[in-house]
Amino acid sequence: MLLPGDPAAEAELDAAENPAIVAAAHPSASVAWATLAEDALDDDKAVTAYAYARTGYHRGLDQLRRNGWKGFGPVPFAHEPNQGFLRCVAALARAADSIGERDEYQRCLDLLDDCDPAARAELGLG
């Protein structure tokens, strides 16, 4: 599945706009939620990261389904518009691991593997 992306949100993030402002203006843009989640993880705010990542994950699932994805099949990391969703899944995995939620951590890793076997390595989850 190849998502269409959100060029306006991506451009704002590329221009160093505050990701919270971007997420508020473009709430369906997983890339903005991924940035918020990753920033929260960098600040050792695992619960905040978990919330941001889960929001972006669900927004990405909504987009995938609207574009014909049936809950399985490839979501290639190499396609840049897919990366926001996949980054959210990876951030959710990291946050879940940080708070001891092993089942969620494993579900996220499994989803990444199902979407693209190379995604984990690309996202630093080896």
Side-chain angles (χ1 to χ4, degrees):
M1 175 60 50
L2 302 179
L3 289 172
D6 190 322
E10 293 161 14
E12 290 172 25
L13 290 169
D14 287 344
E17 179 61 75
N18 180 327
I21 292 171
V22 177
H26 308 277
S28 65
S30 290
V31 67
W33 296 105
T35 302
L36 287 167
E38 292 162 351
D39 289 351
L41 284 168
D42 288 345
D43 290 339
D44 292 322
K45 296 179 180 175
V47 172
T48 301
Y50 189 99
Y52 286 141
R54 182 157 293 286
T55 300
Y57 161 80
H58 281 288
R59 293 301 189 136
L61 286 178
D62 291 344
Q63 281 189 331
L64 285 165
R65 289 181 184 124
R66 274 194 307 274
N67 284 280
W69 193 66
K70 304 293 183 203
F72 59 89
V75 181
F77 183 84
H79 181 66
E80 191 169 338
N82 290 350
Q83 291 178 12
F85 167 71
L86 296 170
R87 286 171 52 201
C88 282
V89 176
L92 184 56
R94 285 188 187 92
D97 189 42
S98 291
I99 63 173
E101 194 176 354
R102 296 299 301 165
D103 290 344
E104 181 72 356
Y105 174 73
Q106 191 57 55
R107 278 190 297 272
C108 291
L109 295 182
D110 291 344
L111 178 57
L112 287 171
D113 290 343
D114 289 345
C115 287
D116 183 342
R120 262 210 255 183
E122 291 285 346
L123 295 162
L125 288 170

PDB file of all heavy atoms in Angstrom, residues 82-95:
ATOM      1  N   ASN A  82       4.598   6.640   3.512  1.00  0.00           N
ATOM      2  CA  ASN A  82       4.307   5.558   4.471  1.00  0.00           C
ATOM      3  C   ASN A  82       5.105   5.710   5.755  1.00  0.00           C
ATOM      4  O   ASN A  82       4.766   5.113   6.776  1.00  0.00           O
ATOM      5  CB  ASN A  82       4.637   4.190   3.867  1.00  0.00           C
ATOM      6  CG  ASN A  82       3.706   3.775   2.765  1.00  0.00           C
ATOM      7  OD1 ASN A  82       2.683   4.392   2.518  1.00  0.00           O
ATOM      8  ND2 ASN A  82       4.066   2.708   2.068  1.00  0.00           N
ATOM      9  N   GLN A  83       6.166   6.484   5.718  1.00  0.00           N
ATOM     10  CA  GLN A  83       7.095   6.528   6.845  1.00  0.00           C
ATOM     11  C   GLN A  83       6.496   7.136   8.103  1.00  0.00           C
ATOM     12  O   GLN A  83       6.851   6.739   9.207  1.00  0.00           O
ATOM     13  CB  GLN A  83       8.383   7.238   6.442  1.00  0.00           C
ATOM     14  CG  GLN A  83       9.185   6.423   5.451  1.00  0.00           C
ATOM     15  CD  GLN A  83      10.444   7.113   4.984  1.00  0.00           C
ATOM     16  OE1 GLN A  83      10.874   8.119   5.539  1.00  0.00           O
ATOM     17  NE2 GLN A  83      11.033   6.565   3.926  1.00  0.00           N
ATOM     18  N   GLY A  84       5.575   8.076   7.976  1.00  0.00           N
ATOM     19  CA  GLY A  84       4.951   8.648   9.167  1.00  0.00           C
ATOM     20  C   GLY A  84       4.232   7.576   9.967  1.00  0.00           C
ATOM     21  O   GLY A  84       4.405   7.476  11.186  1.00  0.00           O
ATOM     22  N   PHE A  85       3.436   6.763   9.284  1.00  0.00           N
ATOM     23  CA  PHE A  85       2.732   5.669   9.951  1.00  0.00           C
ATOM     24  C   PHE A  85       3.723   4.687  10.574  1.00  0.00           C
ATOM     25  O   PHE A  85       3.601   4.325  11.747  1.00  0.00           O
ATOM     26  CB  PHE A  85       1.822   4.946   8.957  1.00  0.00           C
ATOM     27  CG  PHE A  85       1.293   3.636   9.471  1.00  0.00           C
ATOM     28  CD1 PHE A  85       0.349   3.601  10.481  1.00  0.00           C
ATOM     29  CD2 PHE A  85       1.753   2.439   8.950  1.00  0.00           C
ATOM     30  CE1 PHE A  85      -0.140   2.386  10.965  1.00  0.00           C
ATOM     31  CE2 PHE A  85       1.273   1.222   9.423  1.00  0.00           C
ATOM     32  CZ  PHE A  85       0.329   1.204  10.436  1.00  0.00           C
ATOM     33  N   LEU A  86       4.712   4.272   9.802  1.00  0.00           N
ATOM     34  CA  LEU A  86       5.677   3.285  10.304  1.00  0.00           C
ATOM     35  C   LEU A  86       6.511   3.858  11.452  1.00  0.00           C
ATOM     36  O   LEU A  86       6.823   3.146  12.409  1.00  0.00           O
ATOM     37  CB  LEU A  86       6.559   2.783   9.158  1.00  0.00           C
ATOM     38  CG  LEU A  86       5.791   2.030   8.065  1.00  0.00           C
ATOM     39  CD1 LEU A  86       6.679   1.786   6.847  1.00  0.00           C
ATOM     40  CD2 LEU A  86       5.225   0.720   8.594  1.00  0.00           C
ATOM     41  N   ARG A  87       6.836   5.132  11.393  1.00  0.00           N
ATOM     42  CA  ARG A  87       7.545   5.775  12.512  1.00  0.00           C
ATOM     43  C   ARG A  87       6.682   5.783  13.759  1.00  0.00           C
ATOM     44  O   ARG A  87       7.192   5.611  14.870  1.00  0.00           O
ATOM     45  CB  ARG A  87       7.955   7.192  12.130  1.00  0.00           C
ATOM     46  CG  ARG A  87       9.130   7.251  11.169  1.00  0.00           C
ATOM     47  CD  ARG A  87       9.389   8.644  10.641  1.00  0.00           C
ATOM     48  NE  ARG A  87       9.505   9.650  11.701  1.00  0.00           N
ATOM     49  CZ  ARG A  87       9.317  10.954  11.480  1.00  0.00           C
ATOM     50  NH1 ARG A  87       9.024  11.423  10.280  1.00  0.00           N
ATOM     51  NH2 ARG A  87       9.446  11.804  12.483  1.00  0.00           N
ATOM     52  N   CYS A  88       5.380   5.976  13.594  1.00  0.00           N
ATOM     53  CA  CYS A  88       4.473   5.925  14.749  1.00  0.00           C
ATOM     54  C   CYS A  88       4.456   4.535  15.361  1.00  0.00           C
ATOM     55  O   CYS A  88       4.477   4.391  16.589  1.00  0.00           O
ATOM     56  CB  CYS A  88       3.057   6.339  14.345  1.00  0.00           C
ATOM     57  SG  CYS A  88       2.849   8.117  14.163  1.00  0.00           S
ATOM     58  N   VAL A  89       4.426   3.508  14.531  1.00  0.00           N
ATOM     59  CA  VAL A  89       4.433   2.138  15.045  1.00  0.00           C
ATOM     60  C   VAL A  89       5.730   1.885  15.815  1.00  0.00           C
ATOM     61  O   VAL A  89       5.714   1.322  16.913  1.00  0.00           O
ATOM     62  CB  VAL A  89       4.246   1.102  13.919  1.00  0.00           C
ATOM     63  CG1 VAL A  89       4.348  -0.319  14.461  1.00  0.00           C
ATOM     64  CG2 VAL A  89       2.911   1.309  13.202  1.00  0.00           C
ATOM     65  N   ALA A  90       6.848   2.339  15.267  1.00  0.00           N
ATOM     66  CA  ALA A  90       8.139   2.152  15.937  1.00  0.00           C
ATOM     67  C   ALA A  90       8.195   2.937  17.251  1.00  0.00           C
ATOM     68  O   ALA A  90       8.683   2.422  18.263  1.00  0.00           O
ATOM     69  CB  ALA A  90       9.278   2.579  15.015  1.00  0.00           C
ATOM     70  N   ALA A  91       7.692   4.171  17.247  1.00  0.00           N
ATOM     71  CA  ALA A  91       7.679   4.969  18.482  1.00  0.00           C
ATOM     72  C   ALA A  91       6.757   4.336  19.516  1.00  0.00           C
ATOM     73  O   ALA A  91       7.077   4.326  20.708  1.00  0.00           O
ATOM     74  CB  ALA A  91       7.248   6.404  18.175  1.00  0.00           C
ATOM     75  N   LEU A  92       5.642   3.790  19.065  1.00  0.00           N
ATOM     76  CA  LEU A  92       4.738   3.103  19.979  1.00  0.00           C
ATOM     77  C   LEU A  92       5.431   1.886  20.584  1.00  0.00           C
ATOM     78  O   LEU A  92       5.304   1.624  21.783  1.00  0.00           O
ATOM     79  CB  LEU A  92       3.451   2.705  19.252  1.00  0.00           C
ATOM     80  CG  LEU A  92       2.353   2.064  20.085  1.00  0.00           C
ATOM     81  CD1 LEU A  92       1.941   2.951  21.251  1.00  0.00           C
ATOM     82  CD2 LEU A  92       1.152   1.747  19.192  1.00  0.00           C
ATOM     83  N   ALA A  93       6.188   1.167  19.780  1.00  0.00           N
ATOM     84  CA  ALA A  93       6.943   0.019  20.298  1.00  0.00           C
ATOM     85  C   ALA A  93       7.928   0.464  21.366  1.00  0.00           C
ATOM     86  O   ALA A  93       7.995  -0.130  22.452  1.00  0.00           O
ATOM     87  CB  ALA A  93       7.677  -0.690  19.154  1.00  0.00           C
ATOM     88  N   ARG A  94       8.674   1.518  21.084  1.00  0.00           N
ATOM     89  CA  ARG A  94       9.662   2.010  22.057  1.00  0.00           C
ATOM     90  C   ARG A  94       8.988   2.476  23.351  1.00  0.00           C
ATOM     91  O   ARG A  94       9.468   2.189  24.449  1.00  0.00           O
ATOM     92  CB  ARG A  94      10.468   3.152  21.453  1.00  0.00           C
ATOM     93  CG  ARG A  94      11.493   2.723  20.457  1.00  0.00           C
ATOM     94  CD  ARG A  94      12.386   3.898  20.054  1.00  0.00           C
ATOM     95  NE  ARG A  94      13.248   3.507  18.969  1.00  0.00           N
ATOM     96  CZ  ARG A  94      12.966   3.661  17.684  1.00  0.00           C
ATOM     97  NH1 ARG A  94      11.847   4.231  17.306  1.00  0.00           N
ATOM     98  NH2 ARG A  94      13.811   3.254  16.764  1.00  0.00           N
ATOM     99  N   ALA A  95       7.903   3.216  23.206  1.00  0.00           N
ATOM    100  CA  ALA A  95       7.201   3.712  24.386  1.00  0.00           C
ATOM    101  C   ALA A  95       6.617   2.554  25.195  1.00  0.00           C
ATOM    102  O   ALA A  95       6.705   2.541  26.426  1.00  0.00           O
ATOM    103  CB  ALA A  95       6.111   4.695  23.974  1.00  0.00           C
TER     104      ALA A  95
END
